Amino acid sequence: MTSTAKPDYWSLLGVSPDSDASQLKRAFRREARRWHPDLNGNDYHAEERFKLVNEAYAVLSDPRRRAAWQGSMSTEQAITDPFAVGFPTFDEYLEVVLGLERTDEQPVDVAYPFPSEHVDWPATSPPPPPPPVQASDDLETLVELTPEQALYGTSVDLELDDGTLLEVDTPPLAGDGWRLRLVGVAPGGRDHFLQLRVQTEDRLRIDGLRVLYRLELFPPDAALGCAVDVPTLSGPVTLQVPPASSSGRLLRLRGRGLELDGRRGDQLVEIVVVIPAELAEAERALYRRLQELALDPENL
């Protein structure tokens, strides 16, 4: 089943049309965290929903783009609104909503996920919104920043395909993986994106004041717990990994992030359990025994 219906941006963010700017921003941050690809594995629909949430905020936070969108929605709804003739099917609902065709070194479990932001950052005053284009038509440039540049903001020189030169100021407290939208600056009135990469040689990722790190462990270390050295911006520290640590568990090193205006962030360490590419026969025998015990715990 296919549909050309545009997504309802208010529904995507879970807010009403009379919401103010602060309510809109809070809703965007909530939904962006919920659907961020880093927290949903390889879920294609979560990735698409995350893109739509960013798109919804970009439109609703810009008065001119919101007015243009609301005008197009009013015309389209009169023709294609599946809600006009009763309660929709589940597929129809999805299509409308989704737009488918300690000491400080002691670890502490934290409940909040890795945040990620998507910000509209116009290089100049944006023109009226261009006609919709396919995602493949969007132009994107990868920009690598140091932690200090991401923290305070910096100027980036960008040359477009038509030879146009732009100087773009990145926002302070930027993070690895952010996409900055330069509205309507590319040939044909298309948008151009800057993909920010903020990583160190030790694979530390910067996100605002926080530092993110993926710690790979073999199953025995994750199951029984271990002490392991992890890098930080100020040098390696020893992290005590608790027993029974599964992939996705987050541990916190307090005060090991960046500092700005008297505020200091933490470092979050994500546990990733990995299996060795090659196993000796003795190791295979042990894994088979573990498998047997998992199927029949009483057979000890």
Side-chain angles (χ1 to χ4, degrees):
M1 181 176 183
T2 60
S3 170
T4 58
K6 297 180 180 179
D8 184 344
Y9 292 144
W10 298 114
S11 297
L12 278 167
L13 297 182
V15 294
S16 61
D18 59 354
S19 300
D20 58 27
S22 62
Q23 292 172 320
L24 196 63
K25 181 176 291 187
R26 284 196 301 270
F28 162 67
R29 290 177 174 173
R30 180 191 66 240
E31 293 301 307
R33 285 194 297 266
R34 177 182 178 187
W35 298 104
H36 192 272
D38 285 353
L39 302 174
N40 290 277
N42 295 320
D43 188 339
Y44 170 78
H45 293 299
E47 181 178 349
E48 291 301 306
R49 181 65 177 258
F50 178 73
K51 293 178 182 177
L52 285 170
V53 165
N54 283 292
E55 178 182 314
Y57 181 70
V59 171
L60 296 181
S61 61
D62 185 320
R64 285 189 293 179
R65 296 181 68 182
R66 181 170 63 188
W69 169 74
Q70 288 177 324
S72 65
M73 283 293 291
S74 298
T75 302
E76 181 176 291
Q77 188 174 18
I79 303 173
T80 63
D81 185 3
F83 298 89
V85 291
F87 197 80
T89 67
F90 183 69
D91 286 341
E92 290 172 333
Y93 174 78
L94 286 180
E95 288 171 354
V96 173
V97 173
L98 299 182
L100 297 177
E101 301 184 58
R102 209 130 73 124
T103 60
D104 290 340
E105 315 309 337
Q106 291 297 319
V108 179
D109 287 330
V110 290
Y112 54 88
F114 288 176
S116 182
E117 300 282 351
H118 174 108
V119 235
D120 281 341
W121 199 260
T124 59
S125 297
V133 295
Q134 297 297 321
S136 59
D137 290 335
D138 290 336
L139 305 176
E140 187 162 297
T141 300
L142 178 65
V143 176
E144 295 190 5
L145 303 180
T146 65
E148 291 74 19
Q149 289 173 328
L151 179 65
Y152 296 106
T154 189
S155 293
V156 175
D157 293 329
L158 178 66
E159 182 175 358
L160 302 181
D161 290 343
D162 62 354
T164 301
L165 297 178
L166 298 176
E167 183 179 90
V168 182
D169 292 331
T170 65
L173 296 174
D176 183 64
W178 279 30
R179 297 178 78 230
L180 308 184
R181 185 198 304 265
L182 309 182
V183 181
V185 300
R190 293 176 296 172
D191 295 342
H192 192 101
F193 292 88
L194 296 186
Q195 177 84 29
L196 301 186
R197 175 180 292 172
V198 194
Q199 300 182 15
T200 70
E201 293 182 354
D202 294 324
R203 297 184 294 113
L204 297 174
R205 297 173 52 215
I206 307 303
D207 191 358
L209 296 179
R210 280 192 284 255
V211 176
L212 314 176
Y213 182 72
R214 288 167 58 91
L215 176 61
E216 296 185 351
L217 296 176
F218 289 136
D221 294 327
L224 303 178
C226 62
V228 60
D229 289 340
V230 298
T232 73
L233 292 176
S234 56
V237 299
T238 300
L239 174 68
Q240 296 290 335
V241 178
S245 291
S246 300
S247 286
R249 186 172 190 174
L250 301 181
L251 306 177
R252 178 171 59 194
L253 298 176
R254 296 183 184 275
R256 289 288 177 170
L258 293 169
E259 183 176 9
L260 181 66
D261 297 332
R263 297 178 296 150
R264 179 176 287 277
D266 300 329
Q267 177 167 325
L268 300 182
V269 179
E270 179 187 10
I271 302 299
V272 180
V273 180
V274 296
I275 304 296
E278 296 183 2
L279 294 174
E281 186 54 40
E283 292 174 315
R284 291 181 183 276
L286 290 174
Y287 277 113
R288 292 191 192 100
R289 180 56 178 157
L290 287 174
Q291 188 178 53
E292 293 171 358
L293 292 176
L295 295 174
D296 187 6
E298 297 181 357
N299 185 23
L300 296 177

